[in-house]
């Protein structure tokens, strides 16, 4: 099996895991409320209002540390980091096991500055 075949097999395994968990891996809509560049422009107002927003984009990188993950998203307008906490996500382990760089995801939450 070639390296490309290995990658394809792993991606199909992750696709199957998402489907088995009842997740639509290719939804028709993302529910995005803001483009990333507008979030960055309005960041202080969004942070102080604690308004729920949804951004969507291509995963550029995923870094995990125990019960949290940092996901860099790019939507064609700008790049932004999402902080994903295990306690705040329906299935943190599924996300961790199935999402890779280059996937498209939507993230809903409030704007905040991490320490």
């Amino acid at each position: 099996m070639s390296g490309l075949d290995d990658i394809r097999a792993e991606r199909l395994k992750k696709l199957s895991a998402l489907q088995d968990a009842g997740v639509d891996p290719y939804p028709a809509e993302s529910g995005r409320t803001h483009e990333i560049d507008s979030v960055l422009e309005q960041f202080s107002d969004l942070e102080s209002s604690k308004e729920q927003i949804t951004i969507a984009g291509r995963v550029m990188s995923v870094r995990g540390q125990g019960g949290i993950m940092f996901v860099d998203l790019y939507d064609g307008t700008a790049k932004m980091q999402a902080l994903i906490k295990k306690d705040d996500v329906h299935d943190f382990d599924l996300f961790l096991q199935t999402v890779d760089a280059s996937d498209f995801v939507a993230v809903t939450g409030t704007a905040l500055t991490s320490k």
Side-chain angles (χ1 to χ4, degrees), residues 2-72:
S2 74
L4 192 54
D5 289 335
D6 292 341
I7 292 169
R8 184 175 189 280
E10 184 64 23
R11 299 296 289 163
L12 289 173
K13 182 176 150 185
K14 291 178 180 189
L15 174 64
S16 180
L18 288 169
Q19 291 169 328
D20 290 348
V23 175
D24 179 0
Y26 306 110
E29 296 181 7
S30 71
R32 178 176 73 174
T33 61
H34 293 74
E35 290 184 342
I36 292 173
D37 66 344
S38 81
V39 172
L40 296 174
E41 289 171 9
Q42 305 169 39
F43 193 85
S44 61
D45 292 339
L46 289 168
E47 186 175 29
S48 62
S49 74
K50 300 195 183 314
E51 174 187 344
Q52 285 275 328
I53 60 171
T54 300
I55 59 172
R58 183 178 291 273
V59 175
M60 304 306 290
S61 68
V62 178
R63 296 170 310 289
Q65 297 179 346
I68 62 171
M69 270 186 283
F70 296 96
V71 180
D72 292 330

Side-chain angles (χ1 to χ4, degrees), residues 52-113:
Q52 285 275 328
I53 60 171
T54 300
I55 59 172
R58 183 178 291 273
V59 175
M60 304 306 290
S61 68
V62 178
R63 296 170 310 289
Q65 297 179 346
I68 62 171
M69 270 186 283
F70 296 96
V71 180
D72 292 330
L73 297 177
Y74 178 72
D75 72 352
T77 67
K79 186 170 100 170
M80 178 174 237
Q81 184 178 82
L83 169 65
I84 301 175
K85 297 179 190 177
K86 185 172 189 162
D87 296 340
D88 295 342
V89 176
H90 172 68
D91 197 334
F92 184 85
D93 292 329
L94 181 66
F95 186 94
L96 188 60
Q97 294 166 5
T98 58
V99 174
D100 292 313
S102 81
D103 289 342
F104 286 91
V105 298
V107 178
T108 300
T110 57
L112 65 91
T113 303

